[in-house]
Amino acid sequence: MSENEPEYVFDQTQIGKGLKPLAQHGYVVIDRGTLTLLGSDQQMIARAPLSAVSAHKVRMTRGQTLSLTMGGEKYNVSPGWGRY
């Protein structure tokens, strides 16, 4: 991995806020202590330092979806679900 590449990138991620879908083929990027949610068009949805992010598994999805709280806003993130 080169210096300019992010540490972790999860593509094909379904991102939503409550029941409202924000991105079907979005991205979750973790780089230099920051978590960033990007839409299908790679426009930023939200960004927060990892220390300010809390994540919990959504029980109804058997842990396949995470509920992220970033800056007081809640997002539902399902890595890999965007390809279906």
Side-chain angles (χ1 to χ4, degrees):
M1 185 178 338
S2 72
E3 285 184 31
N4 296 331
E5 292 181 22
E7 294 175 44
Y8 298 99
V9 177
F10 302 95
D11 61 351
Q12 297 298 322
T13 301
Q14 186 174 355
I15 301 171
K17 194 171 185 179
L19 296 176
K20 179 183 176 189
L22 299 176
Q24 180 67 29
H25 304 283
Y27 300 84
V28 176
V29 179
I30 300 172
D31 189 34
R32 295 180 185 90
T34 302
L35 186 133
T36 306
L37 301 178
L38 301 173
S40 303
D41 54 0
Q42 296 190 5
Q43 293 294 323
M44 187 174 64
I45 296 171
R47 175 181 283 159
L50 286 175
S51 60
V53 176
S54 64
H56 304 283
K57 292 180 181 178
V58 177
R59 292 179 65 189
M60 293 181 297
T61 64
R62 297 182 182 169
Q64 295 177 341
T65 298
L66 294 174
S67 174
L68 299 179
T69 303
M70 303 171 61
E73 299 286 329
K74 289 188 179 184
Y75 298 92
N76 298 321
V77 177
S78 302
W81 278 44
R83 65 178 158 239
Y84 297 117

